[in-house]
Amino acid sequence: MCGIVGFVGRGDAKDFLIKGLLTLEYRGYDSAGVAVVREKGDLEVICRKGKVAELSRAVKELNVTGSCGIGHTRWATHGEPSEVNAHPHIDCTGNIAVVHNGIIENFMELKEELLSRGHAFASETDTEVIAHLIEESYEGDLVQALRAATSRLIGAYGLAVVHSDCPDEIAVTRKESPIVVGNSVKGAFVGSDPIALIDYTRDVVYLEDDCIALLHGDGKIDYYGPDAEPYYPEPTHIDWDAETASRTGFPDFMLKEIYEQPRVVSDTIAGRFADGAMSFPELEELDSWLDTIDGITIVGCGTSYHAGLIAREFLERWARIPVSVEVASEFRYRSPILDDRTLVIAITQSGETADTLEAIKIARSLGAKAITLTNVIGSRAARESDAFLNIRANIEISVAATKSFLAQVALLACLAMHLGVKCGKLGSEDIARFAAEIAAVPAQITQILNERPEILRCAKACSKAHSVMFIGRGFGYVSCKEGALKLKEISYLHAEAYPAGEIKHGPIALIDESVPVVVIATKSDTYEKVVSNIIEVRTRGAKIVAIATEGDESIRKLTDYVIYVPEIPDCFSPLTTSVALQLFAREIALIKGCDVDQPRNLAKSVTVE
Ligand code: F6R
């Protein structure tokens, strides 16, 4: 949630700040602001409600110049989205400005205390207490003041601070919220995500919890550990290609990321099959322990949870191990039964989702071991698990998860095969067949991308509905859940997914000619049953969009629209049907005039409960 940027060096800070905030806007876009130290004693803070474009206009109009500044794009937690609650927040003197990602849990208590000592507050945010705490501790040393202030905080924070006394310095720190720094001949940079820095440097340092970095205008960066002693971290080289953070000719990131999926699936599975065996070197240390497991619990949120539902089928079919799949926000408040024979698989694209992180922590405290699947190698989820697997989807910028979902599913399939082999349930012939089948998926996805005109026709037919129902069975049902989520989140159209066999137990009462029904009717063991369900909803007047296997002409007679997908083993069907549903949701959202990359009320990573 939220994005932080900062620059100190040679040149105009505002250019870097605005460009960086635009890059990080996918992380939050309720309001944005910058603080620029123009010269000693002169700090200018500008905030605007709404998107970064609003702020950019204001910064230009007001002609803000200065070579040291910090910026923030916000997804509101404490305090409504407004100019007054937008970051940066300042202290009583107006000399200190702070930008913050995360949540300060004890802010009410601190605020009372600060109020009683005469501080005046301008906003409803938790962040503002930090500016006042720094104000109280500042005696000419920003690092020391920041350390003193953060020692009072309970919660999570990534922080960047400037002081008008120090026009050549930015102090940054973090706890459970990412902060990345880097430098070049131009100066020193900070971001809450390396993507804000990659145009300036490819070598970055991920700051560790409770460490402080002091960025200087000549590009030098001093690092201090939790014990306040200097240390010298090794930078991490970021090897994303230059196109990663740009739309490269696509109208939006969502479409770009949908089109990247054939390549992503190939990248995800690359190297997993070696000489008739599965290859998971990342799990070597857990190898003998994995032989002892008698249960698996999968945790995740949203789309990642849906990937988990698919993985349950893989694991139970191929490894014959009982699996439960839990929404992380529910899991953490139950009394789950786990022990040292339980494998927990945490699925999180960002590696930052607060509920999933907590679920990992709880599971490990009960003796279970956790393997995390993530797209962010240095993320907390990766670091706080016993092992992690990189889904290799490359950075995903559109708020709606697309390519990360496919990568998760493909990798979970490989992992389930691996465990199936370990449990003695599968042999080299199964692996060979599986390898050939999954290797065909990228080309099959490309085929679906070519179906866009037909998908657009279906989208037009459904875009005026007030609600869309998705039905399917088995893997088709999970794809429906994911399809309905995509539609809801980017088009704001109400959508529900039901197991097709369940509709006559209630949901069919919703059906009339105004409620289109999307049915996953690909070839599977339950195909005939799904056809019966199509007839049931058709009889109630519903307009029907079927996702069917190419060559299935009979389905045309029963439905109004058909989107054909290539023939594929049923277990891999989510890798293709979901692509059709992603495009379907996007087309409807565009028809309705929605911003598909930055849907209202959402942000890319949910780092708060
Ligand atoms: C939906 C979507 C969200 C995320 C969820 C979990 O398109 O993106 O539902 O899947 O917030 O996020 P991660 O995977 O980062 O834990």
Side-chain angles (χ1 to χ4, degrees), residues 22 156 221 260 312 549 592:
L22 285 168
I221 304 178
E260 278 178 73
R312 173 172 61 194
T549 307
K592 297 186 79 199

Side-chain angles (χ1 to χ4, degrees), residues 275-298:
D275 307 324
M278 299 302 297
S279 171
F280 274 90
E282 307 93 321
L283 304 183
E284 241 162 57
E285 280 185 20
L286 295 183
D287 197 58
S288 50
W289 177 78
L290 283 171
D291 290 334
T292 68
I293 61 172
D294 59 10
I296 298 177
T297 296
I298 302 179

Side-chain angles (χ1 to χ4, degrees), residues 58 138 213 247 261 291 303 334 371 374 391-392 450 489 497 523 557 563:
Y138 184 74
R247 291 194 294 267
Q261 292 180 114
D291 290 334
T303 292
R334 296 197 315 103
I371 298 175
T374 182
I391 62 168
R392 301 184 199 146
N450 296 335
E489 72 177 321
K523 286 287 154 80
K557 299 191 192 90
I563 301 168

Side-chain angles (χ1 to χ4, degrees), residues 256-507:
K256 177 190 175 212
E257 288 162 3
I258 290 173
Y259 271 75
E260 278 178 73
Q261 292 180 114
R263 198 191 70 211
V264 165
V265 171
S266 299
D267 289 350
T268 302
I269 61 176
R272 293 295 176 193
F273 314 96
D275 307 324
M278 299 302 297
S279 171
F280 274 90
E282 307 93 321
L283 304 183
E284 241 162 57
E285 280 185 20
L286 295 183
D287 197 58
S288 50
W289 177 78
L290 283 171
D291 290 334
T292 68
I293 61 172
D294 59 10
I296 298 177
T297 296
I298 302 179
V299 290
C301 301
T303 292
S304 294
Y305 165 71
H306 294 159
L309 292 174
I310 295 168
R312 173 172 61 194
E313 283 304 304
F314 294 153
L315 287 158
E316 292 194 341
R317 279 180 193 203
W318 301 335
R320 303 300 300 148
I321 303 171
V323 180
S324 64
V325 191
E326 307 227 20
V327 170
S329 55
E330 289 293 313
F331 173 86
R332 60 183 289 188
Y333 292 110
R334 296 197 315 103
S335 309
I337 301 173
L338 280 79
D339 59 24
D340 59 1
R341 288 161 73 95
T342 314
L343 167 64
V344 168
I345 302 178
I347 309 174
T348 166
Q349 185 284 131
S350 61
E352 289 178 34
T353 301
D355 288 318
T356 309
L357 288 169
E358 191 57 26
I360 295 171
K361 207 186 273 175
I362 293 169
R364 294 186 77 205
S365 74
L366 295 171
K369 292 202 192 300
I371 298 175
T372 287
L373 269 77
T374 182
N375 202 22
V376 183
I377 301 177
S379 62
R380 251 186 88 199
R383 286 187 284 133
E384 292 183 9
S385 299
D386 296 280
F388 79 90
L389 301 172
N390 179 2
I391 62 168
R392 301 184 199 146
N394 214 334
I395 188 161
E396 189 174 63
I397 291 181
S398 186
V399 164
T402 53
K403 60 177 181 169
S404 63
F405 175 67
L406 258 67
Q408 288 166 345
V409 173
L411 186 53
L412 286 161
C414 296
L415 178 63
M417 281 303 270
H418 178 62
L419 295 177
V421 173
K422 281 187 74 55
C423 295
K425 300 289 188 295
L426 301 175
S428 54
E429 273 177 26
D430 299 298
I431 295 176
R433 184 171 29 83
F434 171 84
E437 285 168 353
I438 203 164
V441 167
Q444 290 163 329
I445 296 172
T446 304
Q447 242 179 289
I448 296 161
L449 299 176
N450 296 335
E451 289 291 309
R452 244 179 99 200
E454 185 55 23
I455 295 173
L456 177 59
R457 217 167 70 82
C458 299
K460 277 188 182 144
C462 299
S463 61
K464 296 217 161 48
H466 59 87
S467 180
V468 178
M469 190 179 281
F470 289 71
I471 59 170
R473 287 172 181 257
F475 288 106
Y477 166 54
V478 186
S479 300
C480 282
K481 284 179 76 70
E482 176 56 12
L485 176 61
K486 287 292 93 95
L487 187 58
K488 277 187 267 217
E489 72 177 321
I490 62 169
S491 76
Y492 321 141
L493 183 52
H494 176 252
E496 286 299 334
Y498 286 101
E502 184 66 10
I503 54 170
K504 45 183 151 337
H505 299 286

Side-chain angles (χ1 to χ4, degrees), residues 15 103 145 192 210 293 348:
D15 296 339
I103 287 207
S192 50
D210 301 316
I293 61 172
T348 166

